[in-house]
Amino acid sequence: MTKKAEIIVALDFPDKNQALSMIDELDGACDFFKIGMELGLRVDDEFIKSLIARGKKIFLDYKYHDIGNTVEKAVANAAELGVYMLTVHAEKQVLEAAVKGAKSTNTKVFGVTVLTSLDEDYATQYGCSIKDLVLRRAAWAHDLGADGVIASPHEAAIIKTQFPALKVCTPGIRPAGADSQDQKRVTTPADAIKAGADYLVIGRPITQAENPRQAALQIIDDSSQ
Ligand code: C5P
């Protein structure tokens, strides 16, 4: 059996009720959810607190990228709600402010390295490969005291080798044979775990499945082979 990783379901829904139905449907099978920009405007702090009170773990994926003062306070606000983890862009100033904002709380700060919907064409504008860009940003996250990074499963192994202390969370997960949709740097759940991922973010392969609970249980089962 490979190392275990936690599955996080991306609640990419346009309203709160659809998100709540999915949370209820997955109850006990998966209790770790990502709230991102699509759902973000349709929920409030009471909603997030009520989920945490029900024992759900929340990953707030707003990918903060702003001046230090704003990032620090936004992160402190989110941490006060008790979210398990959140994302900021892996830029030096942003990471530094986010780590400060989360200080003395249990909220984990993750730096987004390079989106999984981007490929080598994106990296050419920086004059390097995707791998080098991801590693540069992972190094900043590591050196500035963040808890982890968001990266594609393709980069998970090298990040874990170079920065063993960093947790790696990978979106871009597609079960064998599934449509990759807009994602470019994808792998199966089992391969992401083999590469060392600690957390797998999975949205549409579960939320748009005919039977989301069964899809989640199947992925969890496949991941622990
Ligand atoms: O539906 P799918 O499994 O592609 O959803 C992936 C989720 O992970 C989305 O909510 C997307 O915003 C998020 N994400 C990503 N790539 C990143 C960071 C976050 O796909 N690098």
Side-chain angles (χ1 to χ4, degrees), residues 177-199:
D179 185 352
S180 61
Q181 292 145 319
D182 56 339
Q183 298 282 19
K184 300 253 172 65
R185 296 172 7 255
V186 299
T187 67
T188 63
D191 284 345
I193 295 169
K194 268 185 225 143
D198 300 285
Y199 304 92

PDB file of all heavy atoms in Angstrom, residues 177-199:
ATOM      1  N   GLY A 177      -8.607   7.413 -17.702  1.00  0.00           N
ATOM      2  CA  GLY A 177      -9.662   7.468 -18.711  1.00  0.00           C
ATOM      3  C   GLY A 177     -10.573   8.688 -18.603  1.00  0.00           C
ATOM      4  O   GLY A 177     -11.377   8.939 -19.491  1.00  0.00           O
ATOM      5  N   ALA A 178     -10.434   9.479 -17.520  1.00  0.00           N
ATOM      6  CA  ALA A 178     -11.321  10.647 -17.364  1.00  0.00           C
ATOM      7  C   ALA A 178     -10.851  11.789 -18.258  1.00  0.00           C
ATOM      8  O   ALA A 178      -9.661  11.900 -18.579  1.00  0.00           O
ATOM      9  CB  ALA A 178     -11.334  11.097 -15.910  1.00  0.00           C
ATOM     10  N   ASP A 179     -11.794  12.655 -18.635  1.00  0.00           N
ATOM     11  CA  ASP A 179     -11.494  13.828 -19.463  1.00  0.00           C
ATOM     12  C   ASP A 179     -10.644  14.816 -18.648  1.00  0.00           C
ATOM     13  O   ASP A 179     -10.991  15.133 -17.509  1.00  0.00           O
ATOM     14  CB  ASP A 179     -12.847  14.467 -19.841  1.00  0.00           C
ATOM     15  CG  ASP A 179     -12.686  15.636 -20.799  1.00  0.00           C
ATOM     16  OD1 ASP A 179     -11.541  16.042 -21.054  1.00  0.00           O
ATOM     17  OD2 ASP A 179     -13.725  16.128 -21.276  1.00  0.00           O
ATOM     18  N   SER A 180      -9.547  15.320 -19.230  1.00  0.00           N
ATOM     19  CA  SER A 180      -8.718  16.254 -18.448  1.00  0.00           C
ATOM     20  C   SER A 180      -9.304  17.665 -18.429  1.00  0.00           C
ATOM     21  O   SER A 180      -8.860  18.520 -17.673  1.00  0.00           O
ATOM     22  CB  SER A 180      -7.286  16.267 -18.965  1.00  0.00           C
ATOM     23  OG  SER A 180      -7.270  16.688 -20.300  1.00  0.00           O
ATOM     24  N   GLN A 181     -10.321  17.936 -19.271  1.00  0.00           N
ATOM     25  CA  GLN A 181     -10.970  19.263 -19.345  1.00  0.00           C
ATOM     26  C   GLN A 181      -9.922  20.355 -19.527  1.00  0.00           C
ATOM     27  O   GLN A 181      -9.050  20.211 -20.369  1.00  0.00           O
ATOM     28  CB  GLN A 181     -11.874  19.460 -18.122  1.00  0.00           C
ATOM     29  CG  GLN A 181     -13.062  18.512 -18.184  1.00  0.00           C
ATOM     30  CD  GLN A 181     -13.511  17.986 -16.853  1.00  0.00           C
ATOM     31  OE1 GLN A 181     -12.715  17.646 -15.995  1.00  0.00           O
ATOM     32  NE2 GLN A 181     -14.819  17.875 -16.685  1.00  0.00           N
ATOM     33  N   ASP A 182      -9.967  21.447 -18.737  1.00  0.00           N
ATOM     34  CA  ASP A 182      -8.998  22.531 -18.957  1.00  0.00           C
ATOM     35  C   ASP A 182      -7.659  22.276 -18.262  1.00  0.00           C
ATOM     36  O   ASP A 182      -6.740  23.089 -18.358  1.00  0.00           O
ATOM     37  CB  ASP A 182      -9.586  23.872 -18.488  1.00  0.00           C
ATOM     38  CG  ASP A 182     -10.027  23.840 -17.036  1.00  0.00           C
ATOM     39  OD1 ASP A 182     -10.251  22.724 -16.498  1.00  0.00           O
ATOM     40  OD2 ASP A 182     -10.159  24.908 -16.438  1.00  0.00           O
ATOM     41  N   GLN A 183      -7.535  21.179 -17.537  1.00  0.00           N
ATOM     42  CA  GLN A 183      -6.280  20.891 -16.845  1.00  0.00           C
ATOM     43  C   GLN A 183      -5.248  20.359 -17.832  1.00  0.00           C
ATOM     44  O   GLN A 183      -5.588  19.611 -18.748  1.00  0.00           O
ATOM     45  CB  GLN A 183      -6.521  19.844 -15.738  1.00  0.00           C
ATOM     46  CG  GLN A 183      -7.475  20.305 -14.649  1.00  0.00           C
ATOM     47  CD  GLN A 183      -6.813  21.257 -13.658  1.00  0.00           C
ATOM     48  OE1 GLN A 183      -5.773  21.859 -13.952  1.00  0.00           O
ATOM     49  NE2 GLN A 183      -7.422  21.424 -12.505  1.00  0.00           N
ATOM     50  N   LYS A 184      -3.972  20.765 -17.662  1.00  0.00           N
ATOM     51  CA  LYS A 184      -2.942  20.313 -18.605  1.00  0.00           C
ATOM     52  C   LYS A 184      -1.963  19.340 -17.968  1.00  0.00           C
ATOM     53  O   LYS A 184      -1.563  18.374 -18.582  1.00  0.00           O
ATOM     54  CB  LYS A 184      -2.162  21.521 -19.148  1.00  0.00           C
ATOM     55  CG  LYS A 184      -3.024  22.541 -19.898  1.00  0.00           C
ATOM     56  CD  LYS A 184      -2.774  22.474 -21.396  1.00  0.00           C
ATOM     57  CE  LYS A 184      -3.731  23.315 -22.221  1.00  0.00           C
ATOM     58  NZ  LYS A 184      -3.616  24.763 -22.000  1.00  0.00           N
ATOM     59  N   ARG A 185      -1.528  19.643 -16.718  1.00  0.00           N
ATOM     60  CA  ARG A 185      -0.505  18.792 -16.086  1.00  0.00           C
ATOM     61  C   ARG A 185      -1.212  17.852 -15.104  1.00  0.00           C
ATOM     62  O   ARG A 185      -1.315  18.136 -13.931  1.00  0.00           O
ATOM     63  CB  ARG A 185       0.558  19.673 -15.414  1.00  0.00           C
ATOM     64  CG  ARG A 185       1.266  20.476 -16.451  1.00  0.00           C
ATOM     65  CD  ARG A 185       2.239  21.562 -16.072  1.00  0.00           C
ATOM     66  NE  ARG A 185       2.642  21.778 -14.722  1.00  0.00           N
ATOM     67  CZ  ARG A 185       2.176  22.803 -13.993  1.00  0.00           C
ATOM     68  NH1 ARG A 185       1.251  23.617 -14.464  1.00  0.00           N
ATOM     69  NH2 ARG A 185       2.632  22.981 -12.787  1.00  0.00           N
ATOM     70  N   VAL A 186      -1.739  16.739 -15.636  1.00  0.00           N
ATOM     71  CA  VAL A 186      -2.581  15.849 -14.815  1.00  0.00           C
ATOM     72  C   VAL A 186      -1.945  14.468 -14.594  1.00  0.00           C
ATOM     73  O   VAL A 186      -1.091  14.055 -15.374  1.00  0.00           O
ATOM     74  CB  VAL A 186      -3.980  15.625 -15.464  1.00  0.00           C
ATOM     75  CG1 VAL A 186      -4.737  16.910 -15.616  1.00  0.00           C
ATOM     76  CG2 VAL A 186      -3.856  14.921 -16.804  1.00  0.00           C
ATOM     77  N   THR A 187      -2.372  13.797 -13.525  1.00  0.00           N
ATOM     78  CA  THR A 187      -2.075  12.368 -13.364  1.00  0.00           C
ATOM     79  C   THR A 187      -3.238  11.718 -12.623  1.00  0.00           C
ATOM     80  O   THR A 187      -4.144  12.418 -12.153  1.00  0.00           O
ATOM     81  CB  THR A 187      -0.805  12.054 -12.510  1.00  0.00           C
ATOM     82  OG1 THR A 187      -1.058  12.454 -11.170  1.00  0.00           O
ATOM     83  CG2 THR A 187       0.436  12.706 -13.017  1.00  0.00           C
ATOM     84  N   THR A 188      -3.170  10.404 -12.476  1.00  0.00           N
ATOM     85  CA  THR A 188      -4.194   9.686 -11.707  1.00  0.00           C
ATOM     86  C   THR A 188      -3.929   9.918 -10.211  1.00  0.00           C
ATOM     87  O   THR A 188      -2.803  10.284  -9.824  1.00  0.00           O
ATOM     88  CB  THR A 188      -4.115   8.172 -11.975  1.00  0.00           C
ATOM     89  OG1 THR A 188      -2.843   7.706 -11.520  1.00  0.00           O
ATOM     90  CG2 THR A 188      -4.297   7.846 -13.450  1.00  0.00           C
ATOM     91  N   PRO A 189      -4.936   9.668  -9.369  1.00  0.00           N
ATOM     92  CA  PRO A 189      -4.722   9.817  -7.927  1.00  0.00           C
ATOM     93  C   PRO A 189      -3.555   8.953  -7.428  1.00  0.00           C
ATOM     94  O   PRO A 189      -2.700   9.433  -6.676  1.00  0.00           O
ATOM     95  CB  PRO A 189      -6.045   9.343  -7.317  1.00  0.00           C
ATOM     96  CG  PRO A 189      -7.063   9.476  -8.406  1.00  0.00           C
ATOM     97  CD  PRO A 189      -6.324   9.296  -9.692  1.00  0.00           C
ATOM     98  N   ALA A 190      -3.510   7.704  -7.873  1.00  0.00           N
ATOM     99  CA  ALA A 190      -2.454   6.796  -7.377  1.00  0.00           C
ATOM    100  C   ALA A 190      -1.069   7.308  -7.757  1.00  0.00           C
ATOM    101  O   ALA A 190      -0.134   7.278  -6.943  1.00  0.00           O
ATOM    102  CB  ALA A 190      -2.666   5.394  -7.930  1.00  0.00           C
ATOM    103  N   ASP A 191      -0.925   7.838  -8.989  1.00  0.00           N
ATOM    104  CA  ASP A 191       0.391   8.339  -9.409  1.00  0.00           C
ATOM    105  C   ASP A 191       0.781   9.599  -8.633  1.00  0.00           C
ATOM    106  O   ASP A 191       1.960   9.804  -8.322  1.00  0.00           O
ATOM    107  CB  ASP A 191       0.405   8.618 -10.917  1.00  0.00           C
ATOM    108  CG  ASP A 191       0.500   7.321 -11.714  1.00  0.00           C
ATOM    109  OD1 ASP A 191       0.840   6.280 -11.111  1.00  0.00           O
ATOM    110  OD2 ASP A 191       0.218   7.343 -12.924  1.00  0.00           O
ATOM    111  N   ALA A 192      -0.211  10.432  -8.327  1.00  0.00           N
ATOM    112  CA  ALA A 192       0.095  11.642  -7.545  1.00  0.00           C
ATOM    113  C   ALA A 192       0.588  11.251  -6.157  1.00  0.00           C
ATOM    114  O   ALA A 192       1.540  11.837  -5.629  1.00  0.00           O
ATOM    115  CB  ALA A 192      -1.152  12.521  -7.438  1.00  0.00           C
ATOM    116  N   ILE A 193      -0.033  10.242  -5.588  1.00  0.00           N
ATOM    117  CA  ILE A 193       0.386   9.799  -4.250  1.00  0.00           C
ATOM    118  C   ILE A 193       1.780   9.166  -4.311  1.00  0.00           C
ATOM    119  O   ILE A 193       2.633   9.440  -3.470  1.00  0.00           O
ATOM    120  CB  ILE A 193      -0.652   8.826  -3.647  1.00  0.00           C
ATOM    121  CG1 ILE A 193      -1.972   9.582  -3.425  1.00  0.00           C
ATOM    122  CG2 ILE A 193      -0.158   8.235  -2.332  1.00  0.00           C
ATOM    123  CD1 ILE A 193      -3.144   8.703  -3.083  1.00  0.00           C
ATOM    124  N   LYS A 194       1.998   8.366  -5.354  1.00  0.00           N
ATOM    125  CA  LYS A 194       3.339   7.759  -5.523  1.00  0.00           C
ATOM    126  C   LYS A 194       4.407   8.840  -5.634  1.00  0.00           C
ATOM    127  O   LYS A 194       5.533   8.685  -5.180  1.00  0.00           O
ATOM    128  CB  LYS A 194       3.375   6.890  -6.786  1.00  0.00           C
ATOM    129  CG  LYS A 194       3.020   5.434  -6.479  1.00  0.00           C
ATOM    130  CD  LYS A 194       3.175   4.579  -7.729  1.00  0.00           C
ATOM    131  CE  LYS A 194       1.979   3.651  -7.867  1.00  0.00           C
ATOM    132  NZ  LYS A 194       1.519   3.423  -9.212  1.00  0.00           N
ATOM    133  N   ALA A 195       4.036   9.964  -6.273  1.00  0.00           N
ATOM    134  CA  ALA A 195       5.002  11.063  -6.444  1.00  0.00           C
ATOM    135  C   ALA A 195       5.220  11.826  -5.136  1.00  0.00           C
ATOM    136  O   ALA A 195       6.084  12.683  -5.058  1.00  0.00           O
ATOM    137  CB  ALA A 195       4.510  12.013  -7.533  1.00  0.00           C
ATOM    138  N   GLY A 196       4.407  11.533  -4.127  1.00  0.00           N
ATOM    139  CA  GLY A 196       4.643  12.151  -2.820  1.00  0.00           C
ATOM    140  C   GLY A 196       3.616  13.180  -2.387  1.00  0.00           C
ATOM    141  O   GLY A 196       3.798  13.834  -1.352  1.00  0.00           O
ATOM    142  N   ALA A 197       2.537  13.345  -3.164  1.00  0.00           N
ATOM    143  CA  ALA A 197       1.530  14.357  -2.787  1.00  0.00           C
ATOM    144  C   ALA A 197       0.924  14.017  -1.422  1.00  0.00           C
ATOM    145  O   ALA A 197       0.668  12.856  -1.109  1.00  0.00           O
ATOM    146  CB  ALA A 197       0.433  14.407  -3.843  1.00  0.00           C
ATOM    147  N   ASP A 198       0.716  15.065  -0.621  1.00  0.00           N
ATOM    148  CA  ASP A 198       0.114  14.886   0.704  1.00  0.00           C
ATOM    149  C   ASP A 198      -1.397  15.103   0.652  1.00  0.00           C
ATOM    150  O   ASP A 198      -2.134  14.540   1.455  1.00  0.00           O
ATOM    151  CB  ASP A 198       0.721  15.901   1.685  1.00  0.00           C
ATOM    152  CG  ASP A 198       2.223  15.725   1.813  1.00  0.00           C
ATOM    153  OD1 ASP A 198       2.636  14.749   2.470  1.00  0.00           O
ATOM    154  OD2 ASP A 198       2.987  16.532   1.244  1.00  0.00           O
ATOM    155  N   TYR A 199      -1.827  15.971  -0.251  1.00  0.00           N
ATOM    156  CA  TYR A 199      -3.252  16.285  -0.405  1.00  0.00           C
ATOM    157  C   TYR A 199      -3.579  16.273  -1.899  1.00  0.00           C
ATOM    158  O   TYR A 199      -2.820  16.826  -2.697  1.00  0.00           O
ATOM    159  CB  TYR A 199      -3.587  17.692   0.118  1.00  0.00           C
ATOM    160  CG  TYR A 199      -3.202  17.941   1.552  1.00  0.00           C
ATOM    161  CD1 TYR A 199      -1.966  18.490   1.880  1.00  0.00           C
ATOM    162  CD2 TYR A 199      -4.088  17.662   2.602  1.00  0.00           C
ATOM    163  CE1 TYR A 199      -1.605  18.744   3.201  1.00  0.00           C
ATOM    164  CE2 TYR A 199      -3.741  17.910   3.925  1.00  0.00           C
ATOM    165  CZ  TYR A 199      -2.496  18.452   4.215  1.00  0.00           C
ATOM    166  OH  TYR A 199      -2.148  18.702   5.522  1.00  0.00           O
TER     167      TYR A 199
END
